[in-house]
Short mmCIF file of all heavy atoms in Angstrom, two decimals:
data_model
loop_
_atom_site.label_atom_id
_atom_site.label_comp_id
_atom_site.label_asym_id
_atom_site.label_seq_id
_atom_site.Cartn_x
_atom_site.Cartn_y
_atom_site.Cartn_z
N THR P 108 -1.96 10.67 9.40
CA THR P 108 -0.82 10.19 10.17
C THR P 108 -1.26 9.75 11.56
O THR P 108 -0.80 8.72 12.07
CB THR P 108 0.27 11.28 10.27
OG1 THR P 108 0.66 11.66 8.94
CG2 THR P 108 1.49 10.79 11.02
N SER P 109 -2.15 10.49 12.17
CA SER P 109 -2.67 10.11 13.50
C SER P 109 -3.43 8.79 13.43
O SER P 109 -3.27 7.92 14.29
CB SER P 109 -3.58 11.20 14.05
OG SER P 109 -2.85 12.39 14.23
N LEU P 110 -4.25 8.63 12.39
CA LEU P 110 -4.98 7.37 12.22
C LEU P 110 -4.02 6.20 12.00
O LEU P 110 -4.22 5.11 12.55
CB LEU P 110 -5.96 7.47 11.05
CG LEU P 110 -7.18 8.37 11.27
CD1 LEU P 110 -7.98 8.52 9.99
CD2 LEU P 110 -8.05 7.82 12.40
N LEU P 111 -2.96 6.44 11.22
CA LEU P 111 -1.96 5.40 11.01
C LEU P 111 -1.27 5.03 12.32
O LEU P 111 -1.10 3.85 12.64
CB LEU P 111 -0.92 5.88 9.98
CG LEU P 111 0.28 4.97 9.76
CD1 LEU P 111 -0.15 3.64 9.16
CD2 LEU P 111 1.30 5.65 8.87
N ALA P 112 -0.90 6.03 13.11
CA ALA P 112 -0.24 5.78 14.39
C ALA P 112 -1.16 4.99 15.33
O ALA P 112 -0.71 4.03 15.98
CB ALA P 112 0.17 7.09 15.04
N ILE P 113 -2.43 5.35 15.37
CA ILE P 113 -3.38 4.64 16.23
C ILE P 113 -3.54 3.19 15.75
O ILE P 113 -3.57 2.26 16.56
CB ILE P 113 -4.73 5.38 16.27
CG1 ILE P 113 -4.56 6.69 17.04
CG2 ILE P 113 -5.83 4.52 16.89
CD1 ILE P 113 -5.71 7.67 16.88
N ALA P 114 -3.62 3.00 14.44
CA ALA P 114 -3.73 1.63 13.90
C ALA P 114 -2.49 0.81 14.25
O ALA P 114 -2.60 -0.38 14.59
CB ALA P 114 -3.93 1.68 12.39
N LEU P 115 -1.32 1.43 14.19
CA LEU P 115 -0.09 0.72 14.57
C LEU P 115 -0.08 0.37 16.05
O LEU P 115 0.35 -0.72 16.43
CB LEU P 115 1.14 1.55 14.20
CG LEU P 115 1.44 1.68 12.70
CD1 LEU P 115 2.51 2.73 12.46
CD2 LEU P 115 1.86 0.33 12.12
N LEU P 116 -0.54 1.28 16.89
CA LEU P 116 -0.61 1.00 18.33
C LEU P 116 -1.56 -0.18 18.60
O LEU P 116 -1.20 -1.11 19.34
CB LEU P 116 -1.08 2.24 19.10
CG LEU P 116 -0.10 3.40 19.21
CD1 LEU P 116 -0.80 4.62 19.79
CD2 LEU P 116 1.10 3.01 20.05
N ILE P 117 -2.72 -0.14 17.99
CA ILE P 117 -3.68 -1.24 18.17
C ILE P 117 -3.10 -2.54 17.64
O ILE P 117 -3.18 -3.59 18.31
CB ILE P 117 -5.03 -0.90 17.49
CG1 ILE P 117 -5.71 0.26 18.23
CG2 ILE P 117 -5.95 -2.12 17.45
CD1 ILE P 117 -6.90 0.85 17.49
N GLY P 118 -2.51 -2.49 16.45
CA GLY P 118 -1.89 -3.68 15.88
C GLY P 118 -0.77 -4.22 16.75
O GLY P 118 -0.62 -5.44 16.91
N GLY P 119 0.02 -3.33 17.32
CA GLY P 119 1.11 -3.76 18.22
C GLY P 119 0.57 -4.46 19.45
O GLY P 119 1.08 -5.51 19.84
N PHE P 120 -0.46 -3.88 20.07
CA PHE P 120 -1.06 -4.51 21.25
C PHE P 120 -1.63 -5.90 20.90
O PHE P 120 -1.46 -6.85 21.66
CB PHE P 120 -2.16 -3.63 21.84
CG PHE P 120 -1.65 -2.52 22.69
CD1 PHE P 120 -1.97 -1.20 22.39
CD2 PHE P 120 -0.85 -2.77 23.80
CE1 PHE P 120 -1.49 -0.16 23.17
CE2 PHE P 120 -0.36 -1.73 24.59
CZ PHE P 120 -0.69 -0.43 24.27
N ILE P 121 -2.28 -6.00 19.76
CA ILE P 121 -2.85 -7.30 19.35
C ILE P 121 -1.75 -8.33 19.13
O ILE P 121 -1.87 -9.48 19.56
CB ILE P 121 -3.74 -7.12 18.10
CG1 ILE P 121 -5.00 -6.34 18.47
CG2 ILE P 121 -4.09 -8.47 17.48
CD1 ILE P 121 -5.85 -5.91 17.27
N ARG P 122 -0.67 -7.93 18.47
CA ARG P 122 0.43 -8.88 18.23
C ARG P 122 1.08 -9.31 19.54
O ARG P 122 1.45 -10.47 19.71
CB ARG P 122 1.48 -8.25 17.31
CG ARG P 122 1.04 -8.21 15.89
CD ARG P 122 2.15 -7.75 14.99
NE ARG P 122 1.64 -7.58 13.64
CZ ARG P 122 2.04 -6.65 12.82
NH1 ARG P 122 2.98 -5.79 13.18
NH2 ARG P 122 1.54 -6.56 11.62
N ILE P 123 1.25 -8.37 20.47
CA ILE P 123 1.83 -8.72 21.77
C ILE P 123 0.92 -9.70 22.51
O ILE P 123 1.38 -10.71 23.06
CB ILE P 123 2.09 -7.45 22.61
CG1 ILE P 123 3.23 -6.63 21.97
CG2 ILE P 123 2.42 -7.79 24.06
CD1 ILE P 123 3.37 -5.22 22.51
N PHE P 124 -0.37 -9.44 22.49
CA PHE P 124 -1.34 -10.34 23.11
C PHE P 124 -1.27 -11.72 22.45
O PHE P 124 -1.23 -12.75 23.14
CB PHE P 124 -2.75 -9.74 22.98
CG PHE P 124 -3.82 -10.60 23.57
CD1 PHE P 124 -3.99 -10.69 24.94
CD2 PHE P 124 -4.68 -11.33 22.75
CE1 PHE P 124 -4.98 -11.49 25.49
CE2 PHE P 124 -5.66 -12.13 23.27
CZ PHE P 124 -5.82 -12.21 24.65
N ASN P 125 -1.22 -11.75 21.12
CA ASN P 125 -1.11 -13.03 20.40
C ASN P 125 0.19 -13.75 20.74
O ASN P 125 0.20 -14.99 20.82
CB ASN P 125 -1.20 -12.81 18.89
CG ASN P 125 -2.60 -12.52 18.42
OD1 ASN P 125 -3.56 -12.82 19.12
ND2 ASN P 125 -2.72 -11.92 17.25
N ALA P 126 1.25 -13.01 20.92
CA ALA P 126 2.53 -13.64 21.25
C ALA P 126 2.43 -14.42 22.55
O ALA P 126 2.93 -15.55 22.65
CB ALA P 126 3.64 -12.59 21.34
N PHE P 127 1.79 -13.83 23.54
CA PHE P 127 1.67 -14.53 24.82
C PHE P 127 0.72 -15.72 24.72
O PHE P 127 0.87 -16.70 25.43
CB PHE P 127 1.27 -13.56 25.94
CG PHE P 127 2.41 -12.67 26.34
CD1 PHE P 127 2.42 -11.33 26.02
CD2 PHE P 127 3.51 -13.21 27.00
CE1 PHE P 127 3.49 -10.53 26.36
CE2 PHE P 127 4.59 -12.41 27.35
CZ PHE P 127 4.59 -11.07 27.03
N MET P 128 -0.24 -15.65 23.81
CA MET P 128 -1.10 -16.81 23.57
C MET P 128 -0.33 -17.92 22.87
O MET P 128 -0.61 -19.10 23.06
CB MET P 128 -2.32 -16.41 22.73
CG MET P 128 -3.32 -15.56 23.51
SD MET P 128 -4.74 -15.02 22.52
CE MET P 128 -5.36 -16.55 21.90
N LEU P 129 0.67 -17.55 22.06
CA LEU P 129 1.47 -18.51 21.31
C LEU P 129 2.72 -18.95 22.08
O LEU P 129 3.54 -19.71 21.55
CB LEU P 129 1.91 -17.91 19.97
CG LEU P 129 0.80 -17.54 19.00
CD1 LEU P 129 1.37 -16.76 17.81
CD2 LEU P 129 0.07 -18.78 18.52
N LYS P 130 2.87 -18.50 23.31
CA LYS P 130 4.09 -18.74 24.08
C LYS P 130 4.50 -20.21 24.13
O LYS P 130 5.69 -20.51 24.07
CB LYS P 130 3.95 -18.17 25.49
CG LYS P 130 5.27 -18.06 26.22
CD LYS P 130 5.12 -17.27 27.50
CE LYS P 130 6.49 -17.14 28.13
NZ LYS P 130 6.44 -16.38 29.36
N PRO P 131 3.56 -21.17 24.21
CA PRO P 131 4.00 -22.57 24.23
C PRO P 131 4.65 -23.03 22.92
O PRO P 131 5.32 -24.06 22.90
CB PRO P 131 2.70 -23.36 24.47
CG PRO P 131 1.69 -22.38 24.94
CD PRO P 131 2.13 -21.04 24.46
N MET P 132 4.48 -22.27 21.84
CA MET P 132 5.01 -22.68 20.54
C MET P 132 6.38 -22.02 20.29
O MET P 132 6.64 -20.92 20.77
CB MET P 132 4.04 -22.28 19.43
CG MET P 132 2.65 -22.89 19.61
SD MET P 132 1.47 -22.23 18.43
CE MET P 132 2.02 -23.03 16.94
N SER P 133 7.21 -22.73 19.54
CA SER P 133 8.50 -22.13 19.20
C SER P 133 8.28 -20.99 18.22
O SER P 133 7.38 -21.03 17.39
CB SER P 133 9.44 -23.18 18.59
OG SER P 133 8.98 -23.55 17.32
N GLY P 134 9.08 -19.97 18.32
CA GLY P 134 8.98 -18.82 17.45
C GLY P 134 8.05 -17.73 17.95
O GLY P 134 7.91 -16.69 17.30
N TRP P 135 7.46 -17.92 19.12
CA TRP P 135 6.53 -16.93 19.65
C TRP P 135 7.24 -15.60 19.92
O TRP P 135 6.64 -14.54 19.85
CB TRP P 135 5.85 -17.42 20.93
CG TRP P 135 6.77 -17.43 22.12
CD1 TRP P 135 7.64 -18.41 22.47
CD2 TRP P 135 6.92 -16.39 23.09
NE1 TRP P 135 8.33 -18.06 23.60
CE2 TRP P 135 7.90 -16.81 24.01
CE3 TRP P 135 6.32 -15.15 23.27
CZ2 TRP P 135 8.30 -16.04 25.09
CZ3 TRP P 135 6.71 -14.38 24.35
CH2 TRP P 135 7.70 -14.83 25.25
N GLY P 136 8.53 -15.67 20.17
CA GLY P 136 9.31 -14.46 20.44
C GLY P 136 9.34 -13.52 19.25
O GLY P 136 9.40 -12.30 19.43
N TRP P 137 9.30 -14.07 18.03
CA TRP P 137 9.27 -13.21 16.84
C TRP P 137 7.96 -12.44 16.76
O TRP P 137 7.96 -11.28 16.35
CB TRP P 137 9.50 -14.04 15.57
CG TRP P 137 10.90 -14.49 15.45
CD1 TRP P 137 11.37 -15.76 15.58
CD2 TRP P 137 12.04 -13.66 15.19
NE1 TRP P 137 12.73 -15.78 15.43
CE2 TRP P 137 13.17 -14.50 15.18
CE3 TRP P 137 12.22 -12.30 14.97
CZ2 TRP P 137 14.45 -14.03 14.97
CZ3 TRP P 137 13.51 -11.82 14.75
CH2 TRP P 137 14.59 -12.69 14.75
N THR P 138 6.88 -13.08 17.16
CA THR P 138 5.59 -12.39 17.18
C THR P 138 5.62 -11.28 18.23
O THR P 138 5.13 -10.16 17.99
CB THR P 138 4.45 -13.38 17.47
OG1 THR P 138 4.49 -14.43 16.50
CG2 THR P 138 3.10 -12.71 17.42
N LEU P 139 6.22 -11.57 19.37
CA LEU P 139 6.36 -10.57 20.42
C LEU P 139 7.22 -9.40 19.93
O LEU P 139 6.87 -8.23 20.10
CB LEU P 139 6.96 -11.18 21.68
CG LEU P 139 7.21 -10.22 22.85
CD1 LEU P 139 5.90 -9.62 23.35
CD2 LEU P 139 7.96 -10.93 23.97
N PHE P 140 8.34 -9.72 19.29
CA PHE P 140 9.24 -8.69 18.76
C PHE P 140 8.51 -7.82 17.73
O PHE P 140 8.61 -6.60 17.75
CB PHE P 140 10.48 -9.35 18.13
CG PHE P 140 11.42 -8.37 17.49
CD1 PHE P 140 12.18 -7.50 18.27
CD2 PHE P 140 11.53 -8.30 16.11
CE1 PHE P 140 13.03 -6.59 17.68
CE2 PHE P 140 12.39 -7.39 15.52
CZ PHE P 140 13.14 -6.53 16.31
N SER P 141 7.76 -8.47 16.85
CA SER P 141 7.00 -7.75 15.84
C SER P 141 5.98 -6.82 16.50
O SER P 141 5.82 -5.66 16.08
CB SER P 141 6.28 -8.74 14.91
OG SER P 141 5.38 -8.09 14.07
N GLY P 142 5.30 -7.30 17.52
CA GLY P 142 4.32 -6.47 18.23
C GLY P 142 4.96 -5.29 18.92
O GLY P 142 4.44 -4.17 18.88
N LEU P 143 6.09 -5.53 19.57
CA LEU P 143 6.80 -4.43 20.25
C LEU P 143 7.29 -3.39 19.25
O LEU P 143 7.21 -2.18 19.50
CB LEU P 143 7.96 -4.98 21.08
CG LEU P 143 7.57 -5.81 22.30
CD1 LEU P 143 8.80 -6.49 22.90
CD2 LEU P 143 6.86 -4.93 23.33
N LEU P 144 7.80 -3.86 18.11
CA LEU P 144 8.27 -2.95 17.06
C LEU P 144 7.12 -2.12 16.49
O LEU P 144 7.24 -0.90 16.31
CB LEU P 144 8.96 -3.75 15.95
CG LEU P 144 9.76 -2.98 14.93
CD1 LEU P 144 10.89 -2.21 15.58
CD2 LEU P 144 10.31 -3.93 13.88
N THR P 145 5.99 -2.77 16.23
CA THR P 145 4.82 -2.06 15.71
C THR P 145 4.31 -1.05 16.73
O THR P 145 3.97 0.09 16.38
CB THR P 145 3.71 -3.07 15.34
OG1 THR P 145 4.23 -4.01 14.38
CG2 THR P 145 2.49 -2.39 14.76
N LEU P 146 4.25 -1.46 17.99
CA LEU P 146 3.81 -0.58 19.06
C LEU P 146 4.74 0.63 19.18
O LEU P 146 4.29 1.78 19.27
CB LEU P 146 3.77 -1.34 20.38
CG LEU P 146 3.21 -0.62 21.59
CD1 LEU P 146 1.72 -0.38 21.43
CD2 LEU P 146 3.48 -1.43 22.85
N ALA P 147 6.03 0.39 19.15
CA ALA P 147 7.01 1.48 19.24
C ALA P 147 6.89 2.42 18.04
O ALA P 147 6.98 3.65 18.20
CB ALA P 147 8.42 0.91 19.33
N THR P 148 6.68 1.87 16.85
CA THR P 148 6.53 2.72 15.66
C THR P 148 5.33 3.63 15.80
O THR P 148 5.42 4.84 15.52
CB THR P 148 6.40 1.84 14.39
OG1 THR P 148 7.54 1.00 14.28
CG2 THR P 148 6.26 2.69 13.14
N GLY P 149 4.20 3.08 16.24
CA GLY P 149 3.01 3.90 16.45
C GLY P 149 3.24 4.98 17.49
O GLY P 149 2.81 6.13 17.31
N ALA P 150 3.91 4.62 18.58
CA ALA P 150 4.17 5.59 19.66
C ALA P 150 5.11 6.70 19.18
O ALA P 150 4.88 7.88 19.48
CB ALA P 150 4.77 4.88 20.86
N ILE P 151 6.14 6.35 18.42
CA ILE P 151 7.07 7.36 17.90
C ILE P 151 6.36 8.31 16.95
O ILE P 151 6.54 9.53 17.02
CB ILE P 151 8.28 6.68 17.21
CG1 ILE P 151 9.16 5.99 18.26
CG2 ILE P 151 9.09 7.69 16.40
CD1 ILE P 151 10.21 5.07 17.68
N ILE P 152 5.53 7.76 16.08
CA ILE P 152 4.80 8.60 15.13
C ILE P 152 3.86 9.54 15.88
O ILE P 152 3.79 10.74 15.58
CB ILE P 152 4.02 7.74 14.12
CG1 ILE P 152 4.99 7.02 13.18
CG2 ILE P 152 3.02 8.58 13.32
CD1 ILE P 152 4.33 5.98 12.30
N LEU P 153 3.15 9.01 16.86
CA LEU P 153 2.20 9.83 17.61
C LEU P 153 2.90 10.90 18.45
O LEU P 153 2.40 12.02 18.59
CB LEU P 153 1.35 8.92 18.52
CG LEU P 153 -0.06 9.36 18.82
CD1 LEU P 153 -0.84 9.68 17.55
CD2 LEU P 153 -0.79 8.30 19.62
N ALA P 154 4.08 10.58 18.96
CA ALA P 154 4.81 11.51 19.83
C ALA P 154 5.59 12.57 19.06
O ALA P 154 5.92 13.62 19.60
CB ALA P 154 5.77 10.73 20.73
N SER P 155 5.87 12.32 17.80
CA SER P 155 6.68 13.24 17.01
C SER P 155 5.80 14.34 16.41
O SER P 155 4.93 14.06 15.59
CB SER P 155 7.40 12.47 15.90
OG SER P 155 8.10 13.36 15.07
N PRO P 156 6.04 15.58 16.78
CA PRO P 156 5.17 16.66 16.28
C PRO P 156 5.30 16.90 14.77
O PRO P 156 4.38 17.39 14.15
CB PRO P 156 5.62 17.89 17.07
CG PRO P 156 6.92 17.56 17.67
CD PRO P 156 7.05 16.06 17.70
N ASP P 157 6.44 16.54 14.19
CA ASP P 157 6.60 16.77 12.75
C ASP P 157 6.31 15.53 11.91
O ASP P 157 6.49 15.55 10.70
CB ASP P 157 8.00 17.32 12.45
CG ASP P 157 9.10 16.32 12.76
OD1 ASP P 157 8.86 15.37 13.53
OD2 ASP P 157 10.22 16.50 12.23
N SER P 158 5.84 14.47 12.53
CA SER P 158 5.58 13.23 11.78
C SER P 158 4.60 13.38 10.62
O SER P 158 4.77 12.72 9.60
CB SER P 158 5.15 12.11 12.73
OG SER P 158 3.91 12.39 13.32
N PRO P 159 3.56 14.24 10.71
CA PRO P 159 2.66 14.37 9.56
C PRO P 159 3.36 14.86 8.29
O PRO P 159 2.83 14.70 7.20
CB PRO P 159 1.61 15.39 10.03
CG PRO P 159 1.62 15.27 11.50
CD PRO P 159 3.05 14.99 11.87
N PHE P 160 4.54 15.44 8.44
CA PHE P 160 5.23 15.98 7.27
C PHE P 160 6.19 15.00 6.62
O PHE P 160 6.75 15.29 5.57
CB PHE P 160 5.97 17.27 7.67
CG PHE P 160 5.05 18.29 8.25
CD1 PHE P 160 5.05 18.55 9.60
CD2 PHE P 160 4.15 18.97 7.45
CE1 PHE P 160 4.18 19.48 10.16
CE2 PHE P 160 3.27 19.90 7.98
CZ PHE P 160 3.29 20.15 9.34
N TRP P 161 6.37 13.81 7.23
CA TRP P 161 7.31 12.85 6.63
C TRP P 161 6.85 11.40 6.68
O TRP P 161 7.27 10.59 5.86
CB TRP P 161 8.69 12.97 7.25
CG TRP P 161 8.73 12.74 8.74
CD1 TRP P 161 8.62 13.68 9.71
CD2 TRP P 161 8.89 11.49 9.42
NE1 TRP P 161 8.69 13.10 10.96
CE2 TRP P 161 8.87 11.75 10.81
CE3 TRP P 161 9.06 10.18 9.01
CZ2 TRP P 161 8.99 10.76 11.76
CZ3 TRP P 161 9.19 9.18 9.96
CH2 TRP P 161 9.16 9.48 11.33
N VAL P 162 5.98 11.02 7.60
CA VAL P 162 5.64 9.60 7.77
C VAL P 162 4.94 9.01 6.55
O VAL P 162 5.35 7.97 6.04
CB VAL P 162 4.78 9.39 9.04
CG1 VAL P 162 4.15 8.01 9.07
CG2 VAL P 162 5.64 9.59 10.28
N LEU P 163 3.90 9.66 6.08
CA LEU P 163 3.16 9.13 4.93
C LEU P 163 4.07 9.05 3.70
O LEU P 163 4.04 8.07 2.95
CB LEU P 163 1.93 9.98 4.63
CG LEU P 163 0.88 10.04 5.74
CD1 LEU P 163 -0.21 11.03 5.38
CD2 LEU P 163 0.31 8.67 6.03
N GLY P 164 4.89 10.06 3.51
CA GLY P 164 5.85 10.04 2.41
C GLY P 164 6.86 8.94 2.55
O GLY P 164 7.25 8.30 1.56
N LEU P 165 7.31 8.70 3.78
CA LEU P 165 8.26 7.61 4.01
C LEU P 165 7.65 6.26 3.66
O LEU P 165 8.28 5.44 2.99
CB LEU P 165 8.74 7.62 5.46
CG LEU P 165 9.73 6.53 5.86
CD1 LEU P 165 11.05 6.71 5.12
CD2 LEU P 165 9.95 6.54 7.36
N PHE P 166 6.40 6.03 4.08
CA PHE P 166 5.74 4.77 3.76
C PHE P 166 5.62 4.60 2.25
O PHE P 166 5.87 3.52 1.72
CB PHE P 166 4.36 4.72 4.42
CG PHE P 166 4.37 4.21 5.84
CD1 PHE P 166 5.00 4.92 6.84
CD2 PHE P 166 3.76 3.02 6.17
CE1 PHE P 166 5.04 4.46 8.15
CE2 PHE P 166 3.77 2.55 7.47
CZ PHE P 166 4.41 3.26 8.47
N LEU P 167 5.23 5.67 1.54
CA LEU P 167 5.11 5.61 0.08
C LEU P 167 6.47 5.36 -0.57
O LEU P 167 6.60 4.49 -1.43
CB LEU P 167 4.50 6.90 -0.45
CG LEU P 167 4.39 7.02 -1.97
CD1 LEU P 167 3.41 5.99 -2.51
CD2 LEU P 167 3.99 8.43 -2.38
N ALA P 168 7.48 6.10 -0.15
CA ALA P 168 8.81 5.98 -0.74
C ALA P 168 9.38 4.57 -0.53
O ALA P 168 9.91 3.96 -1.46
CB ALA P 168 9.75 7.02 -0.14
N VAL P 169 9.26 4.06 0.68
CA VAL P 169 9.79 2.71 0.97
C VAL P 169 9.03 1.66 0.17
O VAL P 169 9.62 0.74 -0.38
CB VAL P 169 9.74 2.43 2.49
CG1 VAL P 169 10.00 0.96 2.79
CG2 VAL P 169 10.75 3.31 3.21
N ASP P 170 7.70 1.81 0.07
CA ASP P 170 6.91 0.85 -0.70
C ASP P 170 7.34 0.85 -2.16
O ASP P 170 7.56 -0.22 -2.75
CB ASP P 170 5.42 1.17 -0.58
CG ASP P 170 4.58 0.18 -1.36
OD1 ASP P 170 4.64 -1.03 -1.03
OD2 ASP P 170 3.88 0.59 -2.29
N ILE P 171 7.46 2.02 -2.77
CA ILE P 171 7.86 2.10 -4.17
C ILE P 171 9.28 1.59 -4.36
O ILE P 171 9.57 0.86 -5.32
CB ILE P 171 7.69 3.54 -4.70
CG1 ILE P 171 6.20 3.85 -4.81
CG2 ILE P 171 8.38 3.74 -6.04
CD1 ILE P 171 5.87 5.27 -5.19
N LEU P 172 10.16 1.94 -3.47
CA LEU P 172 11.55 1.46 -3.55
C LEU P 172 11.61 -0.06 -3.49
O LEU P 172 12.29 -0.70 -4.30
CB LEU P 172 12.38 2.09 -2.42
CG LEU P 172 13.85 1.70 -2.36
CD1 LEU P 172 14.58 2.19 -3.61
CD2 LEU P 172 14.49 2.30 -1.12
N PHE P 173 10.89 -0.65 -2.55
CA PHE P 173 10.92 -2.11 -2.43
C PHE P 173 10.24 -2.81 -3.60
O PHE P 173 10.63 -3.90 -3.99
CB PHE P 173 10.34 -2.56 -1.08
CG PHE P 173 11.34 -2.51 0.03
CD1 PHE P 173 11.47 -1.37 0.80
CD2 PHE P 173 12.19 -3.57 0.27
CE1 PHE P 173 12.41 -1.31 1.82
CE2 PHE P 173 13.13 -3.52 1.27
CZ PHE P 173 13.25 -2.38 2.05
N GLN P 174 9.20 -2.18 -4.17
CA GLN P 174 8.60 -2.75 -5.37
C GLN P 174 9.62 -2.77 -6.51
O GLN P 174 9.71 -3.74 -7.26
CB GLN P 174 7.36 -1.95 -5.79
CG GLN P 174 6.16 -2.20 -4.94
CD GLN P 174 5.67 -3.64 -5.02
OE1 GLN P 174 5.76 -4.28 -6.04
NE2 GLN P 174 5.17 -4.13 -3.91
N GLY P 175 10.40 -1.70 -6.62
CA GLY P 175 11.44 -1.66 -7.65
C GLY P 175 12.49 -2.73 -7.43
O GLY P 175 12.89 -3.43 -8.36
N VAL P 176 12.94 -2.87 -6.20
CA VAL P 176 13.93 -3.92 -5.88
C VAL P 176 13.33 -5.30 -6.17
O VAL P 176 14.01 -6.18 -6.70
CB VAL P 176 14.38 -3.81 -4.40
CG1 VAL P 176 15.19 -5.01 -3.97
CG2 VAL P 176 15.16 -2.52 -4.19
N ASN P 177 12.04 -5.47 -5.88
CA ASN P 177 11.37 -6.73 -6.15
C ASN P 177 11.40 -7.06 -7.64
O ASN P 177 11.72 -8.19 -8.03
CB ASN P 177 9.93 -6.67 -5.64
CG ASN P 177 9.17 -7.95 -5.85
OD1 ASN P 177 9.70 -9.03 -5.64
ND2 ASN P 177 7.93 -7.82 -6.26
#
Side-chain angles (χ1 to χ4, degrees):
T108 303
S109 297
L110 289 173
L111 174 65
I113 291 166
L115 289 169
L116 289 170
I117 292 169
F120 280 122
I121 290 170
R122 285 187 186 145
I123 291 167
F124 179 76
N125 285 341
F127 286 109
M128 289 178 55
L129 298 171
K130 195 170 183 179
M132 302 172 73
S133 69
W135 73 276
W137 287 109
T138 304
L139 177 63
F140 177 71
S141 171
L143 291 171
L144 192 61
T145 302
L146 186 69
T148 302
I151 290 168
I152 291 171
L153 210 52
S155 175
D157 65 341
S158 65
F160 303 106
W161 59 268
V162 167
L163 298 174
L165 179 66
F166 274 66
L167 176 66
V169 168
D170 181 61
I171 290 175
L172 180 64
F173 276 91
Q174 285 296 326
V176 169
N177 181 42

